[in-house]
Amino acid sequence: MIMKDFHVVYEDNHIIIVSKRPGILVQGDSTGDRTLTDAVKEYIKKKYDKPGDVFLHPVHRLDRPVSGLVVFARTSKGLERMMEIFRKREIQKTYWAVVRKKPANEKGKLTHWLVKDEKRNVVTAYDTEVNGSQKAELYYKVLGTINKHYLLEVEPISGRPHQIRVQLASMGCPIRGDLKYGYDRPNADGSINLHARRIYFTHPIKKEPIICKAAVPPIPFWEEFLELDPEDIKQKNLGYLHE
């Protein structure tokens, strides 16, 4: 089975929301590897038979080993207004994370101060404010357990680099496959079990509510956790990443 780079979850003239596979970069880095931005540009260029360059800009990022929803702007107006929505935190993002250790509490709020080492691309979490740190907050709850792993639903309040990964690890629950933050062994495909599952906001131009939900990667381990989805729309596991 070959996993596609992405599938489209929502699309209009101003924005496009896709669900990305784990392992693909959102934007370019020193590796020079193909990016999600490149792939979505190619999709738009082909679908709409666009001559010349395609305007497309990610409004936020997901780490390379993470799967799920990414929002892109297709116009400068869309970009400006979506950036404002993110800046004002007028958006709800929900992630799924799989951990092996059960949190001490079934649900809670985590607050840390994060410092990123740019050279090593590693974030350290502190319990109190330190020089150069940024405050990071999230809510989590345990949805259930399957095969000795726990599925957590996570809603970040802030949007810091590696925030969910380092904050969960700081409470003793590193994400499955995440060697960088303390899990003891990698996943075979290099992914980590963190998935941007759902996003909700008011469309910046149409002023309509937008709610999107991303299918989990088409991997048996992930798919088993779908039975723990608390939503009635779980059977509409919007699209798949395989072909």
Side-chain angles (χ1 to χ4, degrees):
M1 181 182 68
I2 298 174
M3 203 180 295
K4 290 169 33 174
D5 288 337
F6 70 93
H7 74 264
V8 177
V9 179
Y10 175 88
E11 180 180 3
D12 64 27
N13 291 335
H14 294 282
I15 62 174
I16 182 169
I17 304 173
V18 306
S19 179
K20 87 173 188 75
R21 65 169 173 82
I24 188 169
L25 290 161
V26 173
Q27 286 184 299
D29 66 3
S30 58
T31 65
D33 291 346
R34 172 181 166 85
T35 69
L36 180 66
T37 304
D38 294 333
V40 179
K41 278 186 176 182
E42 290 168 8
Y43 161 82
I44 292 171
K45 190 176 182 70
K46 183 177 180 180
K47 180 174 180 178
Y48 298 102
D49 195 23
K50 281 187 169 288
D53 291 337
V54 171
F55 182 96
L56 187 75
H57 200 286
V59 182
H60 63 118
R61 297 188 187 189
L62 288 184
D63 295 340
R64 185 170 191 161
V66 179
S67 58
L69 296 169
V70 181
V71 182
F72 288 90
R74 293 189 57 199
T75 63
S76 56
K77 181 179 180 180
L79 176 61
E80 181 181 348
R81 295 194 180 181
M82 283 303 304
M83 293 290 281
E84 186 72 0
I85 286 172
F86 272 79
R87 189 184 68 80
K88 291 181 175 179
R89 298 180 184 172
E90 295 173 345
I91 189 163
Q92 183 188 54
K93 294 182 289 180
T94 304
Y95 290 75
W96 276 7
V98 177
V99 300
R100 191 166 57 208
K101 182 180 176 183
K102 185 180 182 181
N105 299 305
E106 288 289 321
K107 61 181 179 180
K109 180 182 179 182
L110 302 181
T111 302
H112 294 93
W113 280 261
L114 308 185
V115 177
K116 185 174 184 181
D117 182 331
E118 295 290 347
K119 287 186 178 180
R120 294 171 53 232
N121 192 30
V122 174
V123 175
T124 302
Y126 296 90
D127 292 332
T128 57
E129 188 172 6
V130 299
N131 187 43
S133 63
Q134 292 183 306
K135 189 177 184 181
E137 298 175 294
L138 63 76
Y139 291 102
Y140 75 89
K141 64 179 176 181
V142 179
L143 295 182
T145 180
I146 289 178
N147 292 333
K148 299 181 180 179
H149 290 82
Y150 295 87
L151 179 64
L152 309 186
E153 186 174 79
V154 180
E155 289 190 8
I157 302 168
S158 46
R160 310 300 185 196
H162 298 194
Q163 175 181 341
I164 297 173
R165 299 167 65 181
V166 70
Q167 286 199 272
L168 293 185
S170 294
M171 73 167 180
C173 301
I175 294 168
R176 181 177 181 266
D178 197 357
L179 299 182
K180 182 171 284 191
Y181 292 105
Y183 201 79
D184 59 0
R185 60 179 179 267
N187 290 341
D189 61 359
S191 71
I192 64 174
N193 289 104
L194 179 62
H195 178 68
R197 177 68 167 164
R198 191 172 63 248
I199 197 165
Y200 171 78
F201 60 95
T202 299
H203 194 289
I205 289 97
K206 297 180 178 180
K207 305 302 180 185
E208 299 170 348
I210 301 293
I211 182 166
C212 292
K213 185 176 178 182
V216 297
I219 298 166
F221 178 87
W222 256 128
E223 290 172 339
E224 287 184 285
F225 288 95
L226 289 173
E227 70 180 67
L228 301 177
D229 192 340
E231 295 184 31
D232 292 337
I233 58 172
K234 62 184 175 183
Q235 69 274 16
K236 300 176 183 177
N237 191 36
L238 305 175
Y240 294 90
L241 284 171
H242 55 69
E243 59 183 1

